[in-house]
Amino acid sequence: MSETTHTNDRYVSFVDIDCESRVDGCIERIRACIEHNTNPSPLHDYVATKLAETEARGQDGLYLIGSQVNVLRELFEHHDDDAGLHLLECIELKCC
């Protein structure tokens, strides 16, 4: 008998992918970047506005991340935030 390898498929179910935890962690990293005053970026105001709009509309963090992937990637790169980039990539590949 052969052993089958189980892989999570986001198109079937989000079970065991833990998107919510990843999104929460990514939002925390986004907040840390936009609050980082010693290395400001023109993206800070834009991202802060998008974050506030998302929250005001009652949309979840996955909506923000999915619609702003490239901007967030640039923000994390500006801050040399490898952990943020890794989370963003995981979310993009597994949750969006």
Side-chain angles (χ1 to χ4, degrees), residues 57-92:
R57 292 179 183 139
Q59 297 164 326
D60 64 4
L62 184 56
Y63 175 82
L64 171 72
I65 293 167
S67 63
Q68 301 294 326
V69 169
N70 292 328
V71 171
L72 296 175
R73 183 175 293 114
E74 190 174 337
L75 180 73
F76 289 141
E77 287 173 351
H78 176 81
H79 286 282
D80 296 320
D81 187 345
D82 292 334
L85 285 167
H86 178 73
L87 270 173
L88 184 62
E89 183 178 349
C90 287
I91 293 166
E92 184 180 15

Side-chain angles (χ1 to χ4, degrees), residues 19 29-30 86 89 95:
C19 292
R29 302 207 70 82
I30 291 167
H86 178 73
E89 183 178 349
C95 302

Side-chain angles (χ1 to χ4, degrees), residues 18-82:
D18 198 17
C19 292
E20 191 171 324
S21 175
R22 289 177 181 180
V23 167
D24 290 345
C26 192
I27 295 293
E28 286 178 27
R29 302 207 70 82
I30 291 167
R31 287 185 195 284
C33 286
I34 60 179
E35 293 169 0
H36 194 253
N37 294 327
T38 58
N39 189 13
S41 162
L43 295 172
H44 289 176
D45 289 339
Y46 176 82
V47 173
T49 299
K50 290 299 180 186
L51 184 58
E53 290 172 354
T54 299
E55 291 170 345
R57 292 179 183 139
Q59 297 164 326
D60 64 4
L62 184 56
Y63 175 82
L64 171 72
I65 293 167
S67 63
Q68 301 294 326
V69 169
N70 292 328
V71 171
L72 296 175
R73 183 175 293 114
E74 190 174 337
L75 180 73
F76 289 141
E77 287 173 351
H78 176 81
H79 286 282
D80 296 320
D81 187 345
D82 292 334

